[in-house]
Amino acid sequence: MNIHINKSVQVINLGEDDYQRVWNFQETIFKQTVDRKIENRKSPHPDNQVATENYLILCEHPHVYTLGKSGKMENLLLDEEGLKDHQATFYKINRGGDITYHGPGQLVAYPILDLENFFTDIHKYLRFLEESVIMTLADFGIKAGRIDGLTGVWVDYEEGAENPRKICAMGVKSSRWVTMHGLALNVNSDLSYFNNIVPCGIDDKAVTSMNHELGKTVDMATVQKHLVTHIANVFEMELTNAKKESFNY
């Protein structure tokens, strides 16, 4: 357990940026946090320990498909030529889950948190992220919730609903209670790109977005503000804004 608890979280808004570039950035911060924890364990005296830092990276990506560790290649329905035709890239990555899509109009949030600053329960962590999204959607008049056994946030989620639709996907990695990767909320996404995969390996449920549900374009900056506020409140964080230039990004 951390001797020095730090609930401050630096929010870094990268705007639209390349998936590989942001992934590398995540990996760098993740490694620095894990290394700090290892050094703290070697120096059990409180005066020699330094509190770990927490980050919340926000961005959008150009068209990209990512396959998690438990995913199956057959859930990508495009070959290399098809990816080029759709101006999309593809990566096998080190998060949990199967295949998903990121692209313009989708709000992506990557919390890199030392959960020992908050609580040590990865399931609670996922439920808290889901709850933050559910509250955000409610702010815009969209009723959403969970489906038992399926990670993420859904519209028409109640048992027996005829057309459940995923509006937010999640996939995370955790080591020594430090998290990376995160959530992807479809705001103004081009949903046709989901036709090229079996989203999250689930072939009997649809995908949706905020603008599809509301019938109008939704302001991304406003959604982002609401989501960050709810994440901060649910996790009891203290937020500070950080510029990407501060990290030699």
Side-chain angles (χ1 to χ4, degrees):
M1 195 69 182
N2 291 353
I3 294 175
H4 303 292
I5 299 299
N6 175 28
K7 290 184 177 291
S8 176
V9 178
Q10 299 182 56
V11 181
I12 310 168
N13 192 340
L14 299 180
E16 184 171 329
D17 210 335
D18 175 72
Y19 185 86
Q20 182 70 66
R21 179 174 162 87
V22 178
W23 186 13
N24 291 344
F25 186 44
Q26 283 192 78
E27 291 280 12
T28 297
I29 296 176
F30 179 84
K31 184 177 185 303
Q32 289 173 349
T33 306
V34 170
D35 287 348
R36 169 52 57 197
K37 296 192 73 171
I38 292 173
E39 288 302 311
N40 283 343
R41 295 293 190 273
K42 293 177 181 177
S43 305
H45 195 280
D47 291 343
N48 296 327
Q49 292 198 11
V50 178
T52 51
E53 296 185 326
N54 310 288
Y55 305 87
L56 177 59
I57 299 172
L58 304 169
C59 65
E60 295 178 58
H61 291 302
H63 302 297
V64 59
Y65 297 101
T66 67
L67 184 71
K69 292 185 296 182
S70 60
K72 299 178 180 179
M73 274 300 301
E74 55 262 37
N75 288 331
L76 174 64
L77 307 179
L78 296 175
D79 57 15
E80 289 189 16
E81 194 64 32
L83 287 169
K84 291 179 181 178
D85 290 343
H86 287 82
Q87 298 181 314
T89 53
F90 170 74
Y91 295 96
K92 291 183 179 180
I93 62 173
N94 58 351
R95 59 160 171 78
D98 206 292
I99 197 163
T100 195
Y101 160 77
H102 300 304
Q106 184 189 72
L107 174 56
V108 180
Y110 296 128
I112 303 179
L113 310 178
D114 179 0
L115 289 182
E116 286 193 296
N117 288 321
F118 301 94
F119 49 77
T120 51
D121 186 331
I122 196 66
H123 295 288
K124 182 177 179 179
Y125 171 66
L126 289 168
R127 302 297 83 77
F128 272 27
L129 289 180
E130 289 169 346
E131 189 63 26
S132 302
V133 173
I134 291 167
M135 295 167 72
T136 298
L137 292 169
D139 293 341
F140 291 83
I142 299 173
K143 184 181 178 182
R146 303 175 181 85
I147 295 178
D148 287 345
L150 299 176
T151 302
V153 177
W154 301 75
V155 178
D156 282 354
Y157 59 93
E158 299 93 341
E159 186 175 353
E162 293 185 1
N163 185 27
R165 305 177 296 286
K166 178 176 274 192
I167 196 166
C168 179
M170 294 184 182
V172 302
K173 173 187 175 181
S174 175
S175 177
R176 294 181 182 267
W177 295 114
V178 180
T179 67
M180 65 177 288
H181 299 295
L183 67 88
L185 173 60
N186 298 330
V187 181
N188 301 306
S189 306
D190 181 348
L191 298 179
S192 69
Y193 274 79
F194 286 97
N195 296 332
N196 303 316
I197 59 174
V198 181
C200 302
I202 302 169
D203 60 5
D204 62 345
K205 293 179 176 61
V207 178
T208 191
S209 63
M210 294 179 69
N211 72 309
H212 183 77
E213 295 298 320
L214 297 172
K216 61 181 180 181
T217 300
V218 184
D219 183 69
M220 178 66 78
T222 304
V223 177
Q224 186 179 102
K225 181 179 179 180
H226 281 251
L227 179 63
V228 170
T229 298
H230 288 307
I231 290 175
N233 289 339
V234 169
F235 283 86
E236 298 182 348
M237 296 173 171
E238 301 164 4
L239 299 182
T240 60
N241 290 320
K243 294 183 178 180
K244 60 185 179 182
E245 292 78 12
S246 303
F247 300 86
N248 297 317
Y249 183 75

